[in-house]
Amino acid sequence: MEPREKRLVFPFSAIVGQEKAKLALLAVAVNPLIGGVLLKGDKGTGKSTLVRALANVLPEIEVVADCPFNCNPRNPLEMCDSCYERYENGEELPIAKRKMRVVDLPLSVTIDRLVGTVDVERFLKEGKKALQPGILAEANRGVLYIDEVNLLDDYIADSLLDAAAMGWNTIEREGISFRHPARFILVGSMNPEEGELRPQILDRFGLCVEVSAPMNLEERIEIVKRVEEFHEDPTSFYKKYEIEEKKLTERIVKAREILPKVEISDDLLKLLAETVVNLGIKTNRAEIATIKTAKAIAALNGRRRVSLEELEKAMELALPHRLRDRPFQKPPQMQPPKPKDDSKQDHDHKHEHKHEHKKEEKNERMNQGSRSQGIGNLEQNFRSSEAKIPRIESKNFDGGGFTGYRSSRDVSVTVVNFPKGIPVSYIPPVNGRIKDVDFYNSLVWAVLNGKRPPIKLDLNDIRVRVRKAKAPTLWVLLLDSSGSMAVQKRISIAKGIAEKLVENGYIKKSKMALIVAKGNQAEIFVPPTKNYWEVLEKIENVPTGGRTPLSSALYNLLLLANRERMKDRSVKVRAFLITDGKANVPLFGKRIKEEIVELARALKKRDIELTVYDTRGRGINPGLSHVPILERVAGAKVHKV
């Protein structure tokens, strides 16, 4: 082996702890077809350091020297269309050795830069259509790293993960049809506080690891010492771990050689399938990713047969992120596979645990029942699970089940000269502003205007793209938690509706905010965020009692909307008010009815879409509710609960 290239990267073998993350990364290094690794954790926990360090222990690869796609010269199944044609014609492909690269995918990437597009320079000079490779070509047989993958645009993520799952990137652009291998080690990192991944995208990652800072004092001290030593003299620090780095490289090389010969017994396959079924995991990717991972771990251990321990480790990496059937569903407790002899004991343990759980629930209901005897302004705490959400006649509720807006795209807008979204057309530049140039159609117009290669474009030829893009949205939940909502436990129904709205907002990837109306004035419990778990926790723990400051809640909504639009004028604000419509606290000392009329007019003027879920029972005097005012003046959509 040639001397290792010295790089100013923190050595993989010098990283303290994070054994699960290390194992997951080494497994996909042995077999990229596992589908990649998602590292989830708070900021500053070493996610990026792990990925950068991985590239330094990966072995060199043989590539076709004059191919931009890093094709494998030894395997025709891993060649692009051009290399395969040369191979079929008997041409001896030139071979070169290259270090595996870590290619970063920026969040601002366009679809053309990702998958490839027309080579404009060659078209200008020669008048020939040619392909300009994209990031997927650069990453082939290397590492593609996406930092903050949860913030990536949906259509970019879909194209990327489809290529990763298939191992091929197919390019269809302006008369060009081309296919090349896209077999990269996909690594994504994310901070859950900044928003969750859609389930269908999360499932495309073969493995998922929670990365957290160690709570052990000795480990934390050792981390600080090593980082300081690395910053003071990176070269000397690297030499200190160079032997360990070479050993890791050799281990990966040997594992790749062993991998095709690794087997797994039928008993372990059956055990895995039973575990997946018992956990209620519906996707077949669960078993496939687990088996590939188990074989990779066995190969790393120098074994040709998967053991139960190696299967357990693979399950810990490949199954936890697939346990939720729906967003925010609490996953079942994942137990390691048990031999058949222990199955009865395991069943008895589960039965005992279930009995204890029911007992705790009963005690909690009794405690809440005793608390609910309070009157007046005494605060009570009702949970959403205490009442069944009734059927609501609206497009958001169907047969008692919440479905929400059908598309995953909440609000689509047509944008011109803005490099975000899916291209749908092109037009001449407006007001001379040129940002998102459609080069291919600009060249077509130049040819139509009588120009011949080499072509020089002028303003009459330039065309800019028209795209469909997702508009930023803010969903504001206004939850009435006053004393009147405790009657017949309406607040439990209200909390249930609010939680369903949060789930739908998660699917739409909208920012969420929570305003609670209780006492003498409303309060912003959660400012705009994509941390949906925080919103859910706040909703569940909101106490009930006191007066109803409905005017204050609407006023806070206006202030919140104005603040967000100062940051981005294109923000679409949707508000969801869950209330019985009563109000008994004035905001400005006026009559409450006059205040609500003025606030309703302001909501309509500022284009804030208001939806009201009216929780009044049938026996309540309709004259006591201000919901009809909001419906008439603000144009609110009202749904009876």
Side-chain angles (χ1 to χ4, degrees):
M1 183 179 294
E2 295 180 6
R4 180 177 298 274
E5 176 189 358
K6 294 179 181 177
R7 303 175 62 194
L8 298 181
V9 176
F10 197 87
F12 193 84
S13 54
I15 295 174
V16 178
Q18 309 297 1
E19 297 306 323
K20 274 191 180 181
K22 288 180 183 177
L23 182 61
L25 291 170
L26 291 175
V28 295
V30 173
N31 186 3
L33 293 179
I34 288 172
V37 179
L38 177 63
L39 304 176
K40 298 176 67 175
D42 296 331
K43 51 188 177 293
T45 51
K47 300 185 294 292
S48 298
T49 303
L50 279 163
V51 181
R52 310 286 177 205
L54 173 68
N56 211 37
V57 299
L58 295 175
E60 289 184 335
I61 55 172
E62 287 186 339
V63 300
V64 178
D66 55 357
C67 176
F69 304 105
N70 298 319
C71 288
N72 186 348
R74 309 290 185 188
N75 187 352
L77 297 178
E78 296 181 18
M79 293 181 184
C80 66
D81 289 350
S82 177
C83 288
Y84 185 76
E85 185 178 350
R86 293 164 65 187
Y87 172 82
E88 285 288 290
N89 292 334
E91 181 181 340
E92 186 175 345
L93 299 174
I95 298 175
K97 281 192 174 184
R98 293 179 188 165
K99 286 286 298 179
M100 293 183 72
R101 297 176 54 200
V102 173
V103 178
D104 289 287
L105 185 74
L107 294 178
S108 59
V109 69
T110 62
I111 193 70
D112 288 345
R113 178 70 185 101
L114 177 69
V115 303
T117 187
V118 174
D119 189 333
V120 176
E121 183 178 355
R122 190 169 175 185
F123 193 94
L124 286 170
K125 291 180 178 178
E126 304 174 18
K128 295 180 180 179
K129 290 180 182 178
L131 179 69
Q132 182 178 358
I135 288 178
L136 292 180
E138 297 174 20
N140 183 38
R141 303 181 68 208
V143 179
L144 181 61
Y145 177 48
I146 316 166
D147 194 13
E148 307 298 349
V149 63
N150 50 324
L151 303 181
L152 201 63
D153 286 336
D154 287 350
Y155 72 101
I156 296 289
D158 291 339
S159 300
L160 168 69
L161 293 171
D162 281 341
M166 300 299 295
W168 289 89
N169 177 37
T170 302
I171 305 166
E172 299 288 347
R173 286 286 185 279
E174 290 86 17
I176 291 179
S177 181
F178 193 83
R179 194 174 80 129
H180 70 81
R183 302 192 176 192
F184 44 79
I185 299 170
L186 177 64
V187 182
S189 65
M190 60 175 281
N191 182 352
E193 290 183 355
E194 296 174 348
E196 292 287 339
L197 273 176
R198 295 195 341 242
Q200 57 268 46
I201 295 179
L202 183 62
D203 183 55
R204 292 297 182 92
F205 282 96
L207 311 178
C208 180
V209 183
E210 297 281 348
V211 180
S212 58
M215 291 294 106
N216 181 281
L217 290 179
E218 287 75 14
E219 285 188 7
R220 295 181 77 99
I221 291 169
E222 185 62 24
I223 289 171
V224 173
K225 286 182 177 179
R226 292 189 185 186
V227 171
E228 285 298 302
E229 187 179 349
F230 175 72
H231 288 162
E232 287 172 7
D233 190 350
T235 305
S236 298
F237 185 80
Y238 181 82
K239 285 182 178 179
K240 184 177 176 181
Y241 290 92
E242 189 169 15
I243 295 176
E244 292 297 322
E245 296 286 279
K246 287 181 179 179
K247 286 181 180 178
L248 273 175
T249 302
E250 292 168 0
R251 187 181 172 196
I252 293 171
V253 172
K254 288 179 182 177
R256 287 181 175 180
E257 294 171 356
I258 296 173
L259 183 64
K261 304 170 187 176
V262 177
E263 298 177 350
I264 184 168
S265 68
D266 289 343
D267 288 341
L268 288 183
L269 279 173
K270 184 179 179 182
L271 191 60
L272 170 63
E274 288 175 351
T275 304
V276 170
V277 170
N278 291 337
L279 289 171
I281 300 174
K282 297 179 180 178
T283 173
N284 291 120
R285 289 194 185 99
E287 291 98 329
I288 295 169
T290 304
I291 293 300
K292 289 183 182 296
T293 306
K295 287 184 174 182
I297 294 172
L300 283 166
N301 293 334
R303 294 167 48 83
R304 299 194 177 189
R305 195 166 185 81
V306 176
S307 67
L308 176 61
E309 183 183 356
E310 288 159 347
L311 179 62
E312 288 178 1
K313 288 182 179 179
M315 291 172 64
E316 289 176 5
L317 300 174
L319 298 186
H321 63 297
R322 296 185 167 95
L323 292 178
R324 292 190 184 97
D325 190 27
R326 298 181 295 104
F328 309 109
Q329 178 186 13
K330 291 183 178 179
Q333 186 75 20
M334 197 186 87
Q335 298 291 340
K338 303 253 183 175
K340 288 185 178 179
D341 294 343
D342 296 337
S343 59
K344 185 177 184 302
Q345 182 181 355
D346 184 58
H347 178 268
D348 293 341
H349 174 73
K350 287 182 179 177
H351 180 76
E352 181 182 348
H353 178 73
K354 186 176 181 182
H355 177 74
E356 290 296 325
H357 183 65
K358 284 185 175 180
K359 186 176 179 181
E360 289 174 7
E361 282 188 343
K362 183 178 179 181
N363 291 336
E364 176 64 18
R365 285 196 298 269
M366 290 176 64
N367 291 336
Q368 289 174 347
S370 62
R371 288 196 298 268
S372 66
Q373 302 301 320
I375 57 174
N377 293 334
L378 182 63
E379 289 188 351
Q380 306 165 49
N381 194 354
F382 295 96
R383 299 195 178 276
S384 59
S385 58
E386 290 183 26
K388 184 179 178 181
I389 300 173
R391 185 176 188 274
I392 299 177
E393 299 291 343
S394 78
K395 69 176 180 180
N396 288 333
F397 288 81
D398 182 15
F402 186 87
T403 57
Y405 301 96
R406 293 192 179 189
S407 172
S408 64
R409 189 173 292 159
D410 189 13
V411 181
S412 293
V413 293
T414 302
V415 293
V416 178
N417 221 7
F418 182 73
K420 284 282 186 179
I422 302 173
V424 293
S425 185
Y426 60 90
I427 61 171
V430 179
N431 300 326
R433 295 175 66 249
I434 301 173
K435 286 185 178 180
D436 188 21
V437 178
D438 187 336
F439 285 106
Y440 179 78
N441 285 298
S442 297
L443 294 170
V444 169
W445 274 91
V447 172
L448 292 175
N449 288 335
K451 295 182 180 179
R452 293 291 178 264
I455 296 173
K456 291 185 178 180
L457 298 176
D458 57 39
L459 288 176
N460 293 326
D461 305 320
I462 295 293
R463 295 296 182 270
V464 294
R465 288 188 176 94
V466 178
R467 298 177 183 262
K468 281 285 185 184
K470 178 182 175 182
T473 52
L474 170 64
W475 286 18
V476 185
L477 306 182
L478 297 96
L479 181 62
D480 180 356
S481 188
S482 60
S484 61
M485 291 290 286
V487 177
Q488 297 179 348
K489 294 186 178 179
R490 290 181 207 151
I491 188 62
S492 295
I493 297 174
K495 286 184 176 183
I497 295 171
E499 288 172 0
K500 293 294 183 181
L501 287 166
V502 174
E503 289 185 16
N504 203 36
Y506 155 78
I507 294 170
K508 309 301 176 188
K509 299 187 78 172
S510 297
K511 276 188 174 182
M512 304 289 299
L514 174 64
I515 297 174
V516 174
K518 181 181 70 69
N520 292 323
Q521 61 180 13
E523 180 183 348
I524 299 176
F525 264 44
V526 182
T529 181
K530 283 192 175 180
N531 186 353
Y532 306 100
W533 280 108
E534 180 186 1
V535 183
L536 284 173
E537 288 174 0
K538 292 286 187 181
I539 289 171
E540 192 69 15
N541 294 315
V542 167
T544 304
R547 307 175 76 187
T548 313
L550 183 59
S551 300
S552 178
L554 298 174
Y555 183 67
N556 272 283
L557 168 62
L558 287 167
L559 294 178
L560 199 60
N562 287 341
R563 283 201 296 268
E564 285 300 300
R565 284 174 173 167
M566 286 176 68
K567 302 173 187 175
D568 186 344
R569 288 185 298 176
S570 64
V571 171
K572 174 69 177 177
V573 180
R574 283 196 168 123
F576 302 88
L577 173 61
I578 309 168
T579 181
D580 57 8
K582 295 182 180 180
N584 50 28
V585 181
L587 181 63
F588 301 113
K590 300 180 180 179
R591 292 178 59 190
I592 293 175
K593 183 176 179 180
E594 293 176 1
E595 283 184 347
I596 290 178
V597 168
E598 290 181 13
L599 291 165
R601 286 174 182 159
L603 290 174
K604 188 169 186 179
K605 183 179 179 181
R606 288 165 174 76
D607 193 28
I608 296 173
E609 183 181 310
L610 180 63
T611 301
V612 181
Y613 294 99
D614 190 349
T615 63
R616 285 178 297 164
R618 294 183 179 179
I620 303 298
N621 183 353
L624 297 176
S625 175
H626 293 84
V627 170
I629 297 175
L630 297 173
E631 184 176 20
R632 184 180 71 254
V633 180
K637 299 174 184 177
V638 178
H639 306 300
K640 297 284 186 181
V641 177

